[in-house]
Amino acid sequence: MRYDGYTSFSYLTPGRDYRAYDLAPELNRVAPYDLGLSEDQAARAERLLRESMVISLHDHPQVYPADLRDGVDYAHRGRTPLAYLGLSRSGLDAVFDNLAGPTGCITSHYGWTWTDVLHDIGMRLADVAHQDYVTIARTVADLHAARADGRLALVLGLEAATPIENNIDRLDLLYGFGVRQLGVVYNEANLLGGGLAEPRDGGLTRFGRRAVERMNKLGMAIDLSHAGDRTSMDAIAASERPVLITHAGARAVWPTERMKPDHVLRALAESGGLLGIEAAPHSTLSPAHPRHSIESVMDHFTYCVELMGIEHVTFGPDTLYGDHVAVHHAFAHLFAASKHPTVERVPYCAGMENPTENFRNVIGWLVKHGYRDDEIAMVVGGNTLRVLNQTW
Ligand SMILES: [Zn+2]
């Protein structure tokens, strides 16, 4: 493993070249989660973490300020540090890095502008170019090469195609800049289709169909995590290649708009696609585990495996470094999706708080619950490789 202690933007002088924030710790911000594994189980889990290709299908692997009262100002600076140290201890081989996502507010208060997205991508590429541990993956071969070299691969992704406005060629530009996964729509409708927060989802538009076709031709993975149900069904049918729902859960387990209904999950599986199970605070709850933890997350996993088949499920935890609940509060005006009113509030999702612990704990949980080595290898990265081989 090549990590040599690099920290983001250390090629500049803090204070002189940019405003530096006191950042949240990348390691042990919260107490380690105890799965109660036996010594043998813990050793087997560590071996599987080491031997498997481990890919997070959705995270925001950046470090937020320790004090999020300044969060909007931090977002305006457009300089989000990548958690090199935290990631180097995670066992991950690759992460779908969805950058600042909906909080990318550099020139705009509302996010998803073309300029802001390009700024965000360019800033990440500039930072990554100054070190040797993290690399940008543009092909499946890049993913294998990074793992073989002890590097961590980032796959650049965006949660919404909104920044392309009505310009289909911007899909080519995003591809050129390295983006390999793109959400059709984020919560509120755009020119491509309906978002999950809309009372009426009119489905994929004519322009949306052209965009799906272009993404197929480019070899860019399509993400439906924040799309409405009808738009999701339309996009699954329109796409000639399997599509992704990178971070969500099952509405049959927890009835919110952010979760996906059975008919969408079945159609996704039948088309050869892949679901990443979500773990952002207060998202993937379950009646059996209404206080959010890895146990609630795994209730969605087991349900979806039963419904879709184990080859169509992986994990897209959607986590970051810092206080995710405070991030939700600081940027609440940007998320649009309604919150479940009766949810028990937690400070974080125990066991899946950050990218360093997520997959270690997921593998531990799967070991504890009797999954075979080959099944574990599939759901922590093997399934993703299969779909990317058909998509990119
Ligand atoms: Zn999201």
Side-chain angles (χ1 to χ4, degrees):
M1 210 245 292
R2 287 173 180 256
Y3 179 62
D4 65 357
Y6 178 83
T7 57
S8 275
F9 314 121
S10 52
Y11 57 94
L12 297 177
T13 309
R16 176 184 173 92
D17 296 315
Y18 67 98
R19 177 173 169 185
Y21 291 81
D22 283 332
L23 298 172
E26 293 174 40
L27 301 175
N28 305 315
R29 194 185 76 83
V30 302
Y33 187 79
D34 183 8
L35 282 157
L37 301 181
S38 70
E39 218 168 284
D40 284 356
Q41 288 173 329
R44 185 177 157 224
E46 272 305 314
R47 174 179 62 76
L48 285 163
L49 184 69
R50 201 172 53 243
E51 291 178 356
S52 311
M53 172 71 102
V54 182
I55 305 174
S56 165
L57 199 59
H58 185 90
D59 270 310
H60 300 274
Q62 65 193 59
V63 197
Y64 275 85
D67 184 350
L68 261 300
R69 282 174 300 184
D70 232 5
V72 171
D73 180 74
Y74 160 84
H76 279 313
R77 307 275 166 165
R79 191 176 282 285
T80 59
L82 186 68
Y84 292 95
L85 171 63
L87 292 167
S88 75
R89 308 284 177 85
S90 67
L92 285 162
D93 295 300
V95 181
F96 279 61
D97 177 5
N98 276 250
L99 301 162
T103 71
C105 296
I106 300 159
T107 63
S108 151
H109 289 282
Y110 305 105
W112 298 126
T113 69
W114 178 244
T115 312
D116 287 0
V117 162
L118 292 193
H119 182 127
D120 199 15
I121 293 167
M123 192 63 82
R124 178 73 86 243
L125 293 177
D127 187 42
V128 165
H130 284 86
Q131 52 76 62
D132 192 42
Y133 161 55
V134 169
T135 178
I136 306 291
R138 295 175 178 80
T139 64
V140 173
D142 288 345
L143 295 173
H144 289 295
R147 175 171 160 74
D149 289 347
R151 292 189 166 96
L152 175 83
L154 293 184
V155 176
L156 298 184
L158 297 174
E159 296 195 47
T162 310
I164 74 168
E165 303 179 41
N166 64 343
N167 185 343
I168 201 103
D169 290 342
R170 283 186 176 175
L171 293 169
D172 301 53
L173 299 184
L174 290 176
Y175 185 88
F177 295 136
V179 173
R180 290 292 179 275
Q181 163 252 307
L182 185 63
V184 167
V185 52
Y186 188 90
N187 293 0
E188 293 178 332
N190 61 16
L191 289 178
L192 284 74
L196 59 80
E198 297 292 347
R200 283 176 297 279
D201 171 9
L204 200 64
T205 62
R206 278 171 65 93
F207 180 72
R209 284 174 198 283
R210 287 174 58 215
V212 164
E213 186 187 333
R214 182 66 64 90
M215 286 190 270
N216 283 168
K217 287 177 175 171
L218 282 165
M220 186 186 281
I222 295 166
D223 180 21
L224 299 170
S225 298
H226 289 269
D229 297 339
R230 186 170 166 198
T231 294
S232 298
M233 292 300 284
D234 287 351
I236 291 166
S239 179
E240 288 182 358
R241 302 176 190 240
V243 303
L244 308 173
I245 296 178
T246 61
H247 57 300
R251 202 175 295 166
V253 176
W254 195 248
T256 69
E257 62 203 5
R258 222 5 222 101
M259 304 291 105
K260 302 299 177 188
D262 284 3
H263 70 278
V264 169
L265 295 175
R266 261 197 224 101
L268 180 74
E270 280 162 14
S271 71
L274 184 64
L275 169 72
I277 303 290
E278 159 88 42
H282 309 120
S283 59
T284 36
L285 300 167
S286 70
H289 300 99
R291 182 179 171 78
H292 204 197
S293 74
I294 190 172
E295 296 297 337
S296 350
V297 174
M298 298 312 278
D299 286 341
H300 285 264
F301 170 78
T302 52
Y303 179 87
C304 292
V305 165
E306 183 73 26
L307 180 76
M308 304 170 70
I310 197 164
E311 62 273 34
H312 299 290
V313 186
T314 185
F315 296 87
D318 194 10
T319 57
L320 47 83
Y321 290 87
D323 184 344
H324 201 155
V325 174
V327 171
H328 281 161
H329 288 145
F331 297 97
H333 58 296
L334 299 171
F335 293 115
S338 63
K339 297 276 178 278
H340 199 281
T342 56
V343 164
E344 182 182 348
R345 309 304 292 179
V346 291
Y348 58 90
C349 177
M352 297 198 71
E353 199 272 336
N354 62 73
T356 303
E357 74 169 11
N358 293 334
F359 278 78
R360 180 172 275 109
N361 287 340
V362 160
I363 291 174
W365 190 98
L366 294 166
V367 162
K368 187 178 173 183
H369 289 80
Y371 287 79
R372 298 190 313 263
D373 283 11
D374 62 312
E375 293 173 320
I376 294 173
M378 285 165 72
V379 301
V380 300
N383 291 338
T384 302
L385 282 180
R386 183 196 77 244
V387 173
L388 294 181
N389 268 319
Q390 297 165 25
T391 308
W392 286 355

